[in-house]
Amino acid sequence: MNELLVDRRDDGVVVLTLNRPDRRNAMTEGMTESWRRAIADLAADRDVRCVVVTGAGNAFCSGGDLSWLAERGAESVPALRDRMLGFYRTWLAIAELEVPTVAAVNGAAVGAGLCLALACDLVYAAEEARLLAPFTSLGLHPGMAATYLLPRAAGVWVAREMLLTGRTLTGAEAASVGLVTRAFPRESLLGEVLEIASRTAANAPVATRLTKVALAGGGHADLDAALRWESLAQPVTMASDDMLEGLAAQRERRAPRFGNA
Ligand SMILES: C/C=C/C(=O)SCCNC(=O)CCNC(=O)[C@H](O)C(C)(C)COP(=O)(O)OP(=O)(O)OC[C@H]1O[C@@H](n2cnc3c(N)ncnc32)[C@H](O)[C@@H]1OP(=O)(O)O
């Protein structure tokens, strides 16, 4: 079975579906390798406008495959360090894509699976989805940038509760504390996300890529850095045909027809 499904839609949206529903889409080495190739392909493809990540079946992703952890073998700490760094970097390469990325958290998002969702630019969850990061109850230090991604998304108090006590949030609770962008009823989640992704994909590609890059990682560190970036990036878009097309479309009350990235 293909553990990662890649669906390229006509509107420039690509849907990546983690596909091990019987194991709640737990990450294996095979899935990780498929992910590495898929992200590299997307990074090189100028026709891609937006990437959606979701899970097959009733879960988003249950994190690292527990059977791999249980059968850890005799690997040394330095060897495990290299392996884990490679694992984290492969999955979090989604954060390096220049196009907007959207997580559709259709069900449980656990540990590294939750971090994968939080590495996306927008995160929408099913209201009843369970979101948790139970590393320490498994005897593990958090990984997959959990100690960075959770406080950044939800603030220190919620992040500490999730990482120290193992608190589980529903999708609705996660939306109310700002851990995710918004929650939808499970049955309408994917439709809503595809609609949002399609709208995002219809915006001017260069302006969208530059905006995504500016916002990645939480935005610029200070006012001056933001002004310096914007005073370079905004003129790039002012000089583009896309801006003329956007203005004409607004004037003529029609949808814009933008060029390629
Ligand atoms: C380096 C990375 C570290 C981390 O990511 S730490 C976090 C590790 N992940 C977890 O601790 C999650 C463990 N799983 C769960 O808590 C639950 O599952 C869920 C909340 C995700 C879903 O619950 P439900 O829908 O009730 O499913 P179910 O009956 O618990 O599981 C169905 C089958 O899926 C297997 N499974 C679930 N998660 C994993 C996993 N992470 N790795 C390997 N297998 C998993 C189960 O064992 C079971 O299997 P069977 O049907 O044979 O009993």
Side-chain angles (χ1 to χ4, degrees), residues 20-24 26-27 58-59 61-69 84 87-88 108-113 130 132-135 138 140 143-144:
R20 274 184 95 208
D22 57 327
R23 287 285 175 269
R24 302 304 182 257
M27 296 152 155
N58 66 7
C61 176
S62 61
D65 192 290
L66 292 171
S67 56
W68 178 79
L69 289 171
M84 294 320 294
F87 176 72
Y88 305 154
V110 188
R130 283 169 286 172
L132 63 158
F135 293 98
L138 292 170
L140 287 172
M144 195 69 100

Side-chain angles (χ1 to χ4, degrees), residues 22-256:
D22 57 327
R23 287 285 175 269
R24 302 304 182 257
N25 306 317
M27 296 152 155
T28 59
E29 288 189 349
M31 192 194 278
T32 304
E33 179 53 23
S34 301
W35 182 264
R36 190 189 63 71
R37 275 188 265 113
I39 297 296
D41 287 351
L42 296 176
D45 187 340
R46 306 302 289 185
D47 292 332
V48 175
R49 301 283 176 90
C50 186
V51 175
V52 170
V53 184
T54 193
N58 66 7
F60 175 73
C61 176
S62 61
D65 192 290
L66 292 171
S67 56
W68 178 79
L69 289 171
E71 297 154 14
R72 63 182 171 177
E75 250 175 305
S76 65
V77 168
L80 278 170
R81 176 197 182 267
D82 290 349
R83 184 201 283 262
M84 294 320 294
L85 198 54
F87 176 72
Y88 305 154
R89 287 201 165 132
T90 300
W91 284 97
L92 298 182
I94 189 162
E96 306 295 323
L97 289 179
E98 287 180 1
V99 294
T101 55
V102 189
V105 181
N106 51 307
V110 188
L114 174 59
C115 294
L116 175 63
L118 298 182
C120 293
D121 297 308
L122 296 164
V123 186
Y124 298 99
E127 286 165 352
E128 59 275 43
R130 283 169 286 172
L131 287 75
L132 63 158
F135 293 98
T136 53
S137 67
L138 292 170
L140 287 172
H141 188 280
M144 195 69 100
T147 54
Y148 167 79
L149 292 166
L150 266 83
R152 190 184 65 125
V156 292
W157 305 122
V158 172
R160 286 179 190 180
E161 248 192 332
M162 293 182 77
L163 290 170
L164 292 173
T165 75
R167 179 184 172 192
T168 298
L169 270 63
T170 63
E173 287 167 337
S176 74
V177 298
L179 180 64
V180 303
T181 315
R182 224 179 326 158
F184 291 107
R186 187 193 295 273
E187 54 286 2
S188 58
L189 174 74
L190 194 58
E192 295 279 2
V193 168
L194 290 175
E195 168 63 28
I196 291 164
S198 192
R199 243 184 293 136
T200 305
N203 287 329
V206 173
T208 302
R209 280 177 182 246
L210 288 170
T211 306
K212 185 280 155 70
V213 170
L215 292 171
H220 290 290
D222 57 50
L223 181 65
D224 195 54
L227 294 183
R228 283 174 192 280
W229 167 269
E230 290 179 5
S231 62
L232 187 61
Q234 197 169 52
V236 168
T237 53
M238 280 171 172
S240 70
D241 290 343
D242 278 350
M243 188 195 74
L244 298 180
E245 169 61 11
L247 292 173
Q250 193 213 38
R251 202 168 47 243
E252 295 158 20
R253 296 172 194 277
R254 60 171 174 79

